[in-house]
Amino acid sequence: MHRLAIRADLLDFTGAPAWGSTDLSGVRWRPDHWLLIEGERIAGALPGAQPPGEDWRLDDQRGRLLMPGFIDTHVHCPQLDVIASHGTGLLDWLETYTFPAERRFADPTVAAEGAARFLDALLAHGTTAAVVFPTVHAVSADTLFAAAAQRGMRLITGKVLMDRHAPDGLRDAPHDQGAEAERACEALIQRWHGQGRNAYAVTVRFAVTSTPQQLAMAGALLARHAGLYMQTHVAENRDEVRWVAELFPQARSYLDVYDQAGLLNERAVLAHGIWLDAQDRARLRDRGAQIAFCPSSNLFLGSGLFEWPAAIAAGHKVSLATDVGGGTSLSMLRTAAEAYKVVALQGSQVGSPLSAWTALHAATLGAAQGLGLSHEMGHLGAGALADLVLWDWAVGPVATHRDAVALGQVAGLPAQDLHARVFAWMLLGDERNLRQTYVAGRLSHERGRHGPQFATLL
Ligand code: GUN
Ligand code: ZN
């Protein structure tokens, strides 16, 4: 078995940091340590002065930061084609940019190339696992699963369900009571769910684009197959919320539409959740479902400000997600920085500002726990798969100077605590800080080396 030890500053989490806390509760900080990797898995760690024996390959990356790979809990593969499209809110943006781009993914070649480009881009941004929307076309889910299996990545996805309020070429057939879409889901579940690190998610785009019959079919799939995930969008935009109220007059709320269809459980990931009330939040908690907070998308599409502290007070799970192409970057660091600003905009009514610890925990261990996958990923503990990212603390003169201030290396300014240093890294850093990405112990991306041909077994 391959044995690799990487020397760096190790940062991960052992529990959820308290909201607003900048001390080290929940934080595992092991500066200048060797992380030991045996085959696919993390085997332990040793202080920098005590390297492991001769049968280990040593990679001395002293002065760099080694963390678990980020987990993006909501992102759209086909939307790399529309990222950074100008000037509209959600519903118009879908119609003008997104639906036309998604139609291309009916073509197996487009779908396969799109899947490869997308997963390699995730790795290049430090994301090693993701919950992903493909398109309505079964081939778009099939090619994503195949590409993830090739890379050894943890992927949760499923064919998008939409049978109304979408253009030709993007709708499931309505003529057979949805049997065709159901058969397509069943075939994908049989083929991919539980194969390696792939898992199937029943994927309802949002309540607007599914008939009540299709929502019932989605609920039946979840009831029939234990262990499936569910992903959708909820309460993102006020026009959307109004439309859902018109379409489902008998539902108490937007969230209630999904609950009545049996879609909410502990493996449900609902993007956004901006326009929820206290009863909805309590329902999320009771069902064990999580909200994927997508700050860059929420700002870019003008959707609104997610109230993270209210979610914490209600006790439901929150993870962090890019929502590209509504979001404007695949970088979870940039996304965390946007999350900080969204909380800041809500001012003193939310109490403390967002800490780097809460944001980074949500993007690693918190996400893994929320998905029921912390035995596998999200931390640097022994036994986990070695999904790792090696980062530079600073790139460029401004960030380098700021890091020196944090370290107390600038005359006249006192050294700062670890949280202050990590916070500055989180706010100033992005994919340019990334040196290497490992997936299950395999070096999968290295700065300056690109492409699917680059997959070197250690
Ligand atoms: N709601 C329904 N579809 C989408 C989508 O593709 N992106 C976002 N941000 N919201 C949605
Ligand atoms: Zn989305």
Side-chain angles (χ1 to χ4, degrees):
M1 196 176 331
H2 302 281
R3 289 178 143 186
L4 168 68
I6 305 174
R7 185 176 186 171
D9 298 327
L10 311 185
L11 176 64
D12 68 338
F13 297 88
T14 55
W19 181 267
S21 162
T22 58
D23 68 21
L24 292 185
S25 61
V27 179
R28 181 160 50 186
W29 169 238
R30 292 173 288 183
D32 191 16
H33 272 62
W34 295 98
L35 188 75
L36 309 182
I37 301 150
E38 272 192 298
E40 300 186 315
R41 292 187 186 273
I42 295 168
L46 290 169
Q50 297 171 27
E54 277 172 11
D55 46 350
W56 291 78
R57 185 162 78 76
L58 303 184
D59 184 11
D60 192 342
Q61 299 284 354
R62 226 175 301 181
R64 297 203 165 104
L65 174 65
L66 190 62
M67 285 187 65
F70 287 130
I71 301 165
D72 187 344
T73 55
H74 180 79
V75 58
H76 298 253
C77 164
Q79 295 182 12
L80 284 187
D81 292 3
V82 299
I83 189 171
S85 291
H86 179 254
T88 60
L90 172 66
L91 298 174
D92 189 52
W93 174 84
L94 285 172
E95 209 170 292
T96 308
Y97 299 113
T98 307
F99 286 157
E102 292 194 7
R103 216 187 273 132
R104 294 178 63 239
F105 279 65
D107 178 336
T109 307
V110 170
E113 288 175 1
R117 183 185 314 116
F118 172 74
L119 293 181
D120 286 336
L122 288 186
L123 295 173
H125 285 76
T127 296
T128 51
V131 184
V132 180
F133 266 64
T135 65
V136 72
H137 316 100
V139 70
S140 74
D142 203 53
T143 50
L144 253 182
F145 277 129
Q150 210 180 15
R151 288 161 180 77
M153 295 171 73
R154 163 58 68 175
L155 178 80
I156 299 171
T157 192
K159 178 203 122 49
V160 177
L161 293 168
M162 43 204 296
D163 65 352
R164 64 170 169 175
H165 300 136
D168 291 349
L170 275 187
R171 283 191 311 275
D172 291 307
H175 57 268
D176 56 358
Q177 272 77 45
E180 192 176 314
E182 187 169 10
R183 275 197 302 275
C185 293
E186 287 284 1
L188 286 164
I189 291 165
Q190 294 309 323
R191 182 148 186 219
W192 293 112
H193 184 61
Q195 295 300 314
R197 302 184 77 185
N198 282 328
Y200 195 83
V202 173
T203 302
V204 171
R205 182 172 210 123
F206 63 154
V208 165
T209 45
S210 286
T211 57
Q213 293 74 23
Q214 187 169 62
L215 294 176
M217 184 273 278
L221 278 174
L222 286 167
R224 201 177 303 142
H225 300 277
L228 294 186
Y229 289 86
M230 196 289 292
Q231 60 174 341
T232 191
H233 298 88
V234 70
E236 175 178 5
N237 164 295
R238 277 179 284 194
D239 292 335
E240 171 211 17
V241 173
R242 270 192 289 273
W243 195 4
V244 171
E246 283 168 26
L247 293 170
F248 297 90
Q250 76 293 356
R252 192 201 73 81
S253 66
Y254 190 159
L255 185 79
D256 189 45
V257 173
Y258 297 142
D259 198 28
Q260 286 190 21
L263 299 182
L264 302 184
N265 63 26
E266 64 281 4
R267 282 178 303 283
V269 182
L270 298 100
H272 310 300
I274 296 167
W275 307 103
L276 300 176
D277 63 15
Q279 253 178 282
D280 291 325
R281 293 194 186 103
R283 189 77 59 87
L284 287 169
R285 178 201 58 218
D286 293 346
R287 299 285 184 256
Q290 67 176 288
I291 292 293
F293 171 29
C294 310
S296 96
S297 169
N298 296 163
L299 294 171
F300 182 71
L301 294 175
S303 303
L305 305 177
F306 175 70
E307 295 175 44
W308 198 335
I312 291 197
H316 72 74
K317 303 184 288 191
V318 176
S319 52
L320 199 55
T322 64
D323 191 32
V324 161
T328 49
S329 171
L330 286 177
S331 165
M332 291 295 283
L333 283 180
R334 287 195 188 205
T335 303
E338 298 300 283
Y340 177 84
K341 297 170 197 170
V342 166
V343 174
L345 268 171
Q346 293 167 76
S348 55
Q349 90 209 54
V350 302
S352 309
L354 177 65
S355 70
W357 301 146
T358 292
L360 296 173
H361 170 265
T364 55
L365 180 66
Q369 287 176 333
L371 297 167
L373 294 171
S374 57
H375 56 284
E376 171 189 309
M377 63 183 192
H379 58 92
L380 303 179
L385 289 172
D387 291 349
L388 310 170
V389 182
L390 184 71
W391 300 96
D392 281 329
W393 276 103
V395 171
V398 173
T400 300
H401 180 75
R402 177 66 182 85
D403 194 46
V405 170
L407 289 170
Q409 294 168 349
V410 172
L413 292 173
Q416 299 175 338
D417 68 6
L418 180 68
H419 180 269
R421 187 183 189 202
V422 171
F423 180 74
W425 170 75
M426 184 175 96
L427 269 284
L428 300 175
D430 58 27
E431 65 276 17
R432 289 167 292 184
N433 294 59
L434 187 147
R435 304 292 302 202
Q436 290 177 332
T437 305
Y438 288 84
V439 177
R442 190 166 82 169
L443 183 59
S444 300
H445 176 85
E446 188 163 23
R447 183 190 296 170
R449 298 175 70 185
H450 299 287
Q453 75 284 359
F454 176 57
T456 315
L457 272 171
L458 292 170

